[in-house]
C-alpha cells in the first residue's frame, strides 16, 4: 500500500534551518509529482511547494518562496524540503502528499504522510 | 484569509445528513475541479472526494460531493460518531501563480 513517511522535524531557533524528508513506498515514486503542505497549531491547511515527477517543474507559495527549497531523489524514492531563515510562524506540522496535477484539468492530493512537527522558538 | 470560504462548524445528530459548503469565485471553483479532505482528530488529512464528486477506493457512498457555479458542497448521510472531524475543500485558483488553495476548514460535530 502507498506509504509516505516524513522525518526531520525538530525545535529550531528563529533564523535557523531544517531539512525535512519524505520517504515513499508502495507506488512508482518517479511517476508522480509531490507537494509539501503544512498546518499550524489549531489552523487550517496551507499548501507550500510542488515538484514534478522529474523535478524539472517546481512551484512555491508566496509565503515560503526564497526561503524553502523542494527537491527529490527518485533513486531514493524521497522528496525533501530545505527550510532556511525560519520564523515563529513557520511552526507547524509539515505533510508531504502525492500530488495529482493535470494542468487545466484536475488537481488534488491523493495520499498524505503522517506529518512531522517543526517548532521555531528561541 | 482563505480564498475559499467554509463555515467554521456544523453539527447534526447521528443518523442524519449534513451539508458542508465551500464558496469561491469564478477564478477557482467556478473554473476548476474541487476536492474534499477529511482530517480526523490527531491524524493526517485523507482524500474524500476529487473532481467534484468522485470517491477514491474505500470511501463509502455516504460521502458525496457536488458543484454548482462558484460553490461546492460535501454531503454526509447516515452520520456516525466516527465522522467527527475537520473537513477541507481544495481547488486550483487561476489568479494565483501557484494555484493550489484550501478552504479554512469546517469542524463537524455529531450530536
Amino acid at each position: 500500500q502507498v506509504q509516505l513517511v516524513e522525518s526531520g522535524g525538530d525545535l529550531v531557533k528563529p533564523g535557523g534551518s531544517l531539512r525535512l524528508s519524505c520517504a515513499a513506498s508502495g507506488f512508482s515514486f518517479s511517476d508522480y509529482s509531490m507537494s509539501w503542505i503544512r498546518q499550524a497549531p489549531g489552523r487550517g491547511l496551507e499548501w507550500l511547494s510542488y515538484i514534478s515527477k522529474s523535478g524539472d517543474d517546481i512551484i512555491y507559495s508566496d509565503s515560503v518562496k526564497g526561503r524553502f527549497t523542494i527537491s527529490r531523489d527518485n533513486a531514493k524514492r524521497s522528496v525533501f524540503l530545505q527550510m532556511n531563515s525560519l520564523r515563529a510562524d513557520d511552526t507547524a506540522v509539515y505533510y508531504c502528499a502525492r500530488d495529482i496535477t493535470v494542468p487545466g484539468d484536475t488537481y488534488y492530493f491523493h495520499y498524505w504522510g503522517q506529518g512531522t512537527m517543526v517548532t521555531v522558538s528561541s | 484569509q482563505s480564498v475559499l470560504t467554509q463555515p467554521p462548524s456544523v453539527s447534526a445528530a447521528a443518523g442524519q445528513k449534513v451539508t458542508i459548503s465551500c464558496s469561491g469565485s469564478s477564478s477557482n471553483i467556478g473554473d476548476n475541479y474541487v476536492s474534499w479532505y477529511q482530517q480526523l482528530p490527531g491524524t493526517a488529512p485523507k482524500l474524500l472526494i476529487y473532481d467534484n464528486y468522485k470517491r477514491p477506493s474505500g470511501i463509502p457512498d455516504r460521502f458525496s460531493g457536488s458543484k454548482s457555479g462558484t460553490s461546492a458542497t460535501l454531503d454526509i448521510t447516515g452520520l456516525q460518531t466516527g465522522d467527527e472531524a475537520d473537513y477541507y475543500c481544495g481547488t486550483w485558483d487561476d489568479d494565483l501563480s501557484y494555484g493550489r488553495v484550501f478552504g479554512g476548514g469546517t469542524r463537524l460535530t455529531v450530536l
Side-chain angles (χ1 to χ4, degrees):
Chain A
Q1 74 281 19
V2 172
Q3 231 183 345
L4 299 169
V5 179
E6 302 93 335
S7 60
D10 206 346
L11 170 63
V12 61
K13 288 181 168 50
S17 298
L18 210 55
R19 188 186 194 223
L20 305 183
S21 300
C22 169
S25 60
F27 66 101
S28 181
F29 180 71
S30 59
D31 286 341
Y32 290 91
S33 53
M34 299 292 293
S35 272
W36 283 96
I37 298 154
R38 71 182 176 186
Q39 185 172 35
R43 306 294 295 272
L45 302 173
E46 180 189 12
W47 174 84
L48 299 178
S49 184
Y50 159 93
I51 186 166
S52 63
K53 52 189 179 181
S54 66
D56 289 344
D57 188 19
I58 287 175
I59 307 171
Y60 299 99
S61 69
D62 290 345
S63 63
V64 304
K65 191 181 299 183
R67 300 189 300 126
F68 290 12
T69 302
I70 192 172
S71 61
R72 66 188 294 160
D73 185 332
N74 285 344
K76 295 183 177 179
R77 304 172 61 84
S78 294
V79 62
F80 309 98
L81 188 67
Q82 176 67 43
M83 304 187 296
N84 299 330
S85 303
L86 283 162
R87 312 185 298 229
D89 62 358
D90 292 318
T91 294
V93 175
Y94 285 71
Y95 298 101
C96 66
R98 197 173 88 175
D99 183 312
I100 303 299
T101 289
V102 181
D105 188 5
T106 191
Y107 310 87
Y108 58 93
F109 307 103
H110 198 167
Y111 293 97
W112 300 60
Q114 86 290 347
T116 188
M117 183 70 203
V118 173
T119 303
V120 183
S121 174
S122 55
Chain B
Q1 196 84 355
S2 176
V3 299
L4 304 179
T5 302
Q6 297 181 238
S9 64
V10 296
S11 63
Q16 297 303 302
K17 171 185 172 180
V18 71
T19 295
I20 298 173
S21 62
C22 177
S23 178
S25 67
S26 58
S27 67
N28 44 65
I29 292 178
D31 197 39
N32 295 287
Y33 286 119
V34 176
S35 53
W36 289 91
Y37 305 87
Q38 177 193 58
Q39 186 175 33
L40 297 169
T43 70
K46 179 175 78 172
L47 178 67
L48 213 54
I49 297 287
Y50 66 100
D51 291 358
N52 299 335
Y53 66 91
K54 297 176 182 177
R55 285 187 306 275
S57 173
I59 301 299
D61 60 7
R62 299 189 299 107
F63 296 90
S64 63
S66 62
K67 189 184 94 167
S68 178
T70 60
S71 292
T73 58
L74 172 69
D75 289 326
I76 310 174
T77 59
L79 275 172
Q80 302 173 1
T81 56
D83 296 332
E84 282 206 340
D86 294 325
Y87 292 84
Y88 295 89
C89 58
T91 189
W92 180 273
D93 192 304
D94 299 331
D95 287 347
L96 299 174
S97 58
Y98 50 84
R100 295 155 179 82
V101 292
F102 290 104
T106 298
R107 172 69 55 88
L108 168 63
T109 300
V110 179
L111 303 172

